[in-house]
Amino acid sequence: KQEVTQIPAALSVPEGENLVLNCSFTDSAIYNLQWFRQDPGKGLTSLLLIQSSQREQTSGRLNASLDKSSGRSTLYIAASQPGDSATYLCAPGGVTGGGNKLTFGTGTQLKVEL
Amino acid sequence: DGGITQSPKYLFRKEGQNVTLSCEQNLNHDAMYWYRQDPGQGLRLIYYSQIVNDFQKGDIAEGYSVSREKKESFPLTVTSAQKNPTAFYLCASSIPHRGSNQPQHFGDGTRLSIL
């Protein structure tokens, strides 16, 4: 059974810092890995999807890397802003019933302070 | 605007009552999913459907039921058999995997509480 761990559970940084969020998973038989953002009381917003054949994916100030063999992914946020404050979730997509079954970590709660 | 609409935003259930959560999408996605989110836990998959008139149990299907009569709709019923229904329920949709990688898109959730 896939298990996903995200470290740290919470993080508070001053505005402008570069930061790294970590995700580890136990089963490397995945098709892809998604990073999401969740604001309080809201649904999830997809940030990046990395296919299992890729090493990294970039969108604006966000860069996600994937090392499938070691069961690790990182989300790098450059020049953090207060608007980046949210919970970040990683979810590897396993090979079950069509390949889109995601297993979620408990997230990293990020606060970016002025 | 394309997206996923969940209603209601807040729902209250009395003991012994069944309640139905609505999820509608206009993204033309074949696959739809229901997740449950509890404080301190990751999202857990309840049911998913890859095509109309077909659905499969996820990891925590007991006490829940679904139907998929239309491509755009995937309602979730929380039955009286679900003894701990208080949670935040999230619906998602995607193009099914079938050899490609497609992200899942989420609605804004329904918060269910017990009276």
Side-chain angles (χ1 to χ4, degrees):
Chain A
K1 180 185 174 186
Q2 181 74 279
E3 293 182 5
V4 181
T5 303
Q6 291 189 246
I7 294 173
L11 184 61
S12 182
V13 300
E15 182 179 13
E17 259 198 27
N18 301 326
L19 52 100
V20 175
L21 308 181
N22 296 293
C23 171
S24 61
F25 49 94
T26 55
D27 185 353
S28 61
I30 63 171
Y31 273 135
N32 54 45
L33 185 142
Q34 266 188 269
W35 280 93
F36 294 91
R37 168 191 173 130
Q38 185 175 30
D39 293 290
K42 296 289 189 180
L44 278 62
T45 300
S46 179
L47 297 173
L48 290 164
L49 181 149
I50 311 177
Q51 300 181 31
S52 60
S53 58
Q54 295 178 313
R55 297 284 293 183
E56 64 179 72
Q57 192 70 253
T58 298
S59 176
R61 293 183 294 109
L62 305 178
N63 176 277
S65 67
L66 174 64
D67 185 342
K68 196 176 85 160
S69 60
S70 67
R72 295 179 187 276
S73 178
T74 61
L75 179 67
Y76 175 82
I77 303 176
S80 58
Q81 303 170 357
D84 294 331
S85 298
T87 297
Y88 291 81
L89 300 164
C90 84
V95 184
T96 300
N100 268 336
K101 185 179 178 185
L102 301 180
T103 301
F104 285 84
T106 53
T108 293
Q109 189 172 359
L110 172 64
K111 183 175 181 181
V112 181
E113 300 174 322
L114 289 169
Chain B
D1 260 335
I4 300 173
T5 301
Q6 290 189 242
S7 62
K9 190 173 176 66
Y10 299 96
L11 187 58
F12 299 91
R13 193 190 91 169
K14 295 180 181 177
E15 293 288 341
Q17 186 182 45
N18 293 352
V19 292
T20 298
L21 285 61
S22 171
C23 178
E24 303 278 330
Q25 54 98 0
N26 60 5
L27 299 168
N28 201 33
H29 285 166
D30 284 313
M32 297 186 74
Y33 312 81
W34 274 106
Y35 294 91
R36 169 181 172 139
Q37 187 175 35
D38 295 279
Q41 295 192 43
L43 277 73
R44 291 179 290 168
L45 183 64
I46 304 172
Y47 269 98
Y48 64 103
S49 167
Q50 295 188 83
I51 199 167
V52 173
N53 293 323
D54 184 57
F55 48 83
Q56 289 81 40
K57 293 181 179 180
D59 298 321
I60 55 165
E62 186 174 349
Y64 300 96
S65 66
V66 294
S67 62
R68 186 82 188 279
E69 297 176 2
K70 298 187 295 182
K71 185 176 183 177
E72 58 270 22
S73 178
F74 191 39
L76 174 74
T77 297
V78 183
T79 74
S80 56
Q82 172 51 245
K83 297 307 179 187
N84 185 22
T86 298
F88 190 47
Y89 291 86
L90 288 160
C91 177
S93 72
S94 73
I95 298 170
H97 179 75
R98 291 189 199 132
S100 65
N101 287 271
Q102 299 293 337
Q104 288 189 19
H105 300 268
F106 282 76
D108 275 343
T110 292
R111 191 166 297 279
L112 175 63
S113 302
I114 297 298
L115 286 176

